[in-house]
Amino acid sequence: MKALPRRHKRVARAATATALASALLATSGGVAGAAPNAKAFGFFDDAPVFTLNVLFTNDMESALLGVPGDGTDEGEIVDGGQNPYGSPSRMATVMDDLRKDVVTGWPKPGQALWRGEVSISGGDNFLAGPEFSASQQDGAPFYDARAVEEIGFDATTIGNHEFDFGPEVFADFISAFDGSLDFVSANVDVSGEPTLDAHAKDGTILKSKVLHSRGQRIGMIGLTTPELPSLSSPRNVEVDPRMAKLTNALASDFADRGIDKVLLVSHLQDIDNELELVPQLKGVDAVVGAGGGEILAGDDDRLIPGDEAERGFPLYADDANGNSVPVVTTTGDYKYVGRLVLNFNWRGEVVGVDDAESGPVRVSGVGPDAVRGDEKVRSEVEEPVAQHLEELADTTVATSEVPLNGVRNDVRSKETNLGNLVADSLRWTGEQQAEEYGVTPPQVGIQNGGGIRNDSTLPAGDVSALDTYDVAPFSNFVAVVPEVPREVFRQLLERGVAASPDASGAFMQVSGVKFTYDPNAKAQVVDENSGEVLEPGERVQNVTLDDGTVVVENGQVVEGAPISVATNDFSARGGDGYPFGDLDFTSVGTTYQQAVEGYASEGLNGSVTAEQYPEGGNGRITTTG
């Protein structure tokens, strides 16, 4: 028989609620509502009968070794961890401590004697990168799954990064839990992907789920961002944009079944998207958002050095019936456990949020709130992952004569020398693999700026294998689009500069081409989900391939043969709104991280020269005027 996860072992050992709360539970028959008996005890509509602690986190994104923080608290790291903040082992400890606090001792002022808790992940439970690559080694376990399972969530919703490696890897991630964790999303249809559909059929992918705590039933509804096709690689997974309609139908179904406490856990990429959704909802008591990384906190909440609260905790929005609904989220990387404390009356209505007990609880190994990480998680997850990263850091793939600029806002707004190198690596890889995969060798390389993720300048000197993972962490494969009509090619470039001068993940770094654009001319408008060009752009003025072929002159496309383009399969599918449309493309069996590493070590023979990659770039992208 499979051993119980830690969460259930700890709850089984936790002290029971106070005698009076137990008596109330017994009298009410152990079900939600219990209106007649509650009335018999003399409770009024505004009196709390049940207090629910919603413990949550989101966007953990494979930060398996913790995070440094901008400065540290005084004192030594109590558990010897690699970084002072975050980490799954410490989060496991914090979660256990919070669960015990919920069900033992006398209730806090304003809370009910009858108390319970649920613990939820908002999705993005893993992310491509060096930590995740440890799980891709032969014979290695799914380290992220081990971490999530030991923390002991009741359920998780489905984020966009779950699909970064394609449906099969997500299905393998789900399988690693052996049925101990359910994945909940009402608007995701996985029937088009056999490996995920198997999990839908065995009940581990659900539209909604009933959670249980101290005799109460709590309905959970999950949602995934409708922008999923442009953010990740879901392939034949479909996302229904009718989020309010689906949520209200499930909330109504819960009500018909006598379940009067309902949580919406939604991964919509920005907490303002949740706030905009609430006015369309009915029957939802609280919303836990994810994907945006916002920090919500009060003045007295302890934060990791360098973190700043953007708004208070919780936020509120009125639903379709005029009820004030609390909306919460937290930032990711195992840095905080969010805690929302809801008081319910005998009708199952929220009569208040315990503001004193609600808020982010930081996960720290240093300072007055330091905790020791769980030893099992540390030994089975963090130590082998740290060893893997040491091996990557010790492997030199090239030596650079110049600093290589990968700062986030720079690669998303202008040409940089690191952006040029990444784009060159795509084109070079496409050329190397063209014969094997039967594609036309690419003339041009295009890399979306949002896919360059190190957010730093690599200093001159040795470039390690670990550096290439920092630069290109996603699982995207190099793809060749062999026949791009010239007008389509022009609109691809227009997409890259549409947000200029603002930074945008769609800004493209290029190889094999030089172009000029007018940032004051009309910008392109596209449907970011379909990639359909709604309004063609007029910014791109001149485009010339490296072989001298003129593609655009004075804003006009020059007739001629189509162009073969190497990019990544995320972009080729229309990610970031790139208007490739239905053009055929072929993935050539190499991730873009492998392309960067291979190009640096083999294509450049291990030497990045100042002549080829000068600081500031070499004039591939320029503005007019």
Side-chain angles (χ1 to χ4, degrees):
M1 183 177 73
K2 181 177 173 63
L4 285 172
R6 289 177 65 259
R7 181 256 197 280
H8 302 292
K9 292 179 182 177
R10 293 296 179 93
V11 170
R13 291 199 297 265
T16 58
T18 62
L20 184 54
S22 298
L24 176 59
L25 174 58
T27 305
S28 66
V31 297
N37 291 320
K39 291 277 283 186
F41 275 112
F43 289 112
F44 298 98
D45 285 353
D46 59 351
V49 172
F50 180 71
T51 297
L52 177 65
N53 285 253
V54 182
L55 308 177
F56 66 92
T57 193
N58 47 268
D59 303 271
M60 292 175 285
E61 297 186 351
S62 296
L64 298 175
L65 301 181
V67 296
D70 183 10
T72 59
D73 296 275
E74 294 183 1
E76 296 182 358
I77 301 175
V78 301
D79 60 355
Q82 190 172 57
N83 289 298
Y85 304 105
S87 91
S89 65
R90 294 185 191 124
M91 180 169 281
T93 299
V94 171
M95 274 286 198
D96 282 341
D97 290 346
L98 290 173
R99 290 180 183 123
K100 291 176 185 177
D101 182 61
V102 168
V103 298
T104 58
W106 199 252
K108 303 295 191 300
Q111 294 187 14
L113 290 169
W114 189 5
R115 293 165 288 156
E117 59 83 19
V118 294
S119 51
I120 297 166
S121 167
D124 279 2
N125 293 299
F126 62 87
L127 179 72
E131 291 92 345
F132 185 83
S133 71
S135 298
Q136 297 177 297
Q137 304 301 298
D138 290 341
F142 235 126
Y143 291 112
D144 290 278
R146 282 194 174 181
V148 169
E149 184 170 31
E150 290 301 319
I151 292 170
F153 297 102
D154 292 304
T156 179
T157 194
I158 299 174
N160 52 290
H161 284 308
E162 267 79 12
F163 296 94
D164 283 351
F165 286 83
E168 288 82 7
V169 171
F170 181 29
D172 290 343
F173 182 75
I174 297 173
S175 296
F177 293 92
D178 198 18
S180 67
L181 183 69
D182 290 332
F183 292 73
V184 184
S185 182
N187 64 329
V188 167
D189 180 358
V190 299
S191 61
E193 290 292 341
T195 56
L196 290 174
D197 190 44
H199 285 297
K201 290 176 179 176
D202 69 20
T204 49
I205 294 180
L206 303 166
K207 301 293 183 184
S208 64
K209 179 177 172 65
V210 178
L211 310 177
H212 298 269
S213 181
R214 317 301 288 181
Q216 286 282 318
R217 295 182 296 167
I218 299 97
M220 172 187 167
I221 301 168
L223 289 177
T224 300
T225 174
E227 297 178 3
L228 179 64
S230 67
L231 295 172
S232 191
S233 301
R235 210 161 57 203
N236 295 316
V237 172
E238 297 183 358
V239 186
D240 193 329
R242 300 172 302 167
M243 296 184 290
K245 179 178 180 180
L246 296 170
T247 300
N248 291 340
L250 289 169
S252 177
D253 178 65
F254 280 141
D256 291 343
R257 295 157 60 189
I259 299 169
D260 56 11
K261 298 168 183 64
V262 178
L263 303 175
L264 173 63
V265 186
S266 49
H267 195 104
L268 303 186
Q269 297 297 102
D270 188 318
I271 197 63
D272 286 324
N273 291 331
E274 274 84 6
L275 291 169
E276 291 175 4
L277 178 64
V278 170
Q280 305 172 56
L281 302 181
K282 298 178 181 179
V284 171
D285 294 303
V287 178
V288 178
E294 300 90 353
I295 300 176
L296 309 182
D299 293 338
D300 296 331
D301 290 318
R302 182 178 285 114
L303 301 180
I304 291 171
D307 285 353
E308 295 183 2
E310 300 175 35
R311 283 176 273 184
F313 186 112
L315 304 172
Y316 289 93
D318 290 344
D319 70 7
N321 293 324
N323 299 311
S324 184
V325 177
V327 179
V328 295
T329 189
T330 189
T331 194
D333 294 343
Y334 291 96
K335 292 164 65 175
Y336 299 94
V337 174
R339 184 179 188 181
L340 177 65
V341 184
L342 302 170
N343 287 317
F344 290 88
N345 67 7
W346 64 276
R347 295 180 185 274
E349 301 165 337
V350 176
V351 293
V353 172
D354 187 338
D355 290 325
E357 295 300 316
S358 297
V361 180
R362 79 172 187 173
V363 177
S364 178
V366 66
D369 55 343
V371 297
R372 293 187 177 277
D374 178 82
E375 288 299 328
K376 181 179 181 183
V377 179
R378 186 171 294 283
S379 64
E380 294 188 1
V381 175
E382 295 168 17
E383 290 177 2
V385 170
Q387 181 179 351
H388 174 70
L389 263 64
E390 289 176 5
E391 295 171 357
L392 293 178
D394 290 339
T395 304
T396 298
V397 298
T399 300
S400 179
E401 295 178 355
V402 293
L404 297 170
N405 182 6
V407 174
R408 178 185 174 93
N409 281 349
D410 289 346
V411 296
R412 293 176 177 224
S413 63
K414 63 183 180 181
E415 175 189 352
T416 78
N417 59 353
L418 180 59
N420 288 345
L421 189 149
V422 176
D424 286 347
S425 73
L426 300 183
R427 183 163 66 101
W428 178 83
T429 300
E431 291 170 346
Q432 300 300 304
Q433 303 289 81
E435 183 176 356
E436 178 179 351
Y437 285 85
V439 296
T440 304
Q443 301 155 276
V444 172
I446 291 175
Q447 169 62 44
N448 61 312
I452 300 173
R453 304 293 285 197
N454 58 305
D455 193 18
S456 66
T457 296
L458 300 179
D462 290 343
V463 178
S464 71
L466 184 59
D467 290 329
T468 68
Y469 275 101
D470 290 340
V471 170
F474 299 131
S475 62
N476 302 324
F477 281 78
V478 178
V480 175
V481 190
E483 294 190 357
V484 179
R486 292 190 173 196
E487 179 57 39
V488 174
F489 182 68
R490 188 259 177 85
Q491 291 305 318
L492 287 169
L493 299 180
E494 290 281 357
R495 179 60 183 156
V497 299
S500 180
D502 294 336
S504 168
F507 185 89
M508 59 181 61
Q509 302 289 332
V510 299
S511 171
V513 63
K514 292 183 178 180
F515 73 96
T516 62
Y517 73 97
D518 179 358
N520 298 311
K522 180 181 177 182
Q524 179 197 79
V525 178
V526 301
D527 182 324
E528 293 193 13
N529 288 322
S530 68
E532 178 186 358
V533 177
L534 303 178
E535 296 181 20
E538 299 175 358
R539 293 185 166 188
V540 173
Q541 299 299 303
N542 296 286
V543 180
T544 304
L545 303 185
D546 281 0
D547 65 5
T549 301
V550 177
V551 179
V552 177
E553 187 171 18
N554 296 325
Q556 301 298 315
V557 174
V558 177
E559 291 187 9
I563 299 163
S564 181
V565 175
T567 184
N568 56 70
D569 58 351
F570 167 75
S571 298
R573 291 189 177 96
D576 279 329
Y578 278 21
F580 277 104
D582 295 327
L583 293 177
D584 291 334
F585 67 90
T586 299
S587 294
V588 294
T590 306
T591 68
Y592 82 132
Q593 176 274 325
Q594 292 170 330
V596 172
E597 182 175 345
Y599 177 64
S601 61
E602 299 177 26
L604 297 176
N605 295 315
S607 179
V608 180
T609 66
E611 179 182 3
Q612 193 167 0
Y613 295 100
E615 294 184 60
N618 50 16
R620 300 183 188 189
I621 303 173
T622 56
T623 58
T624 61

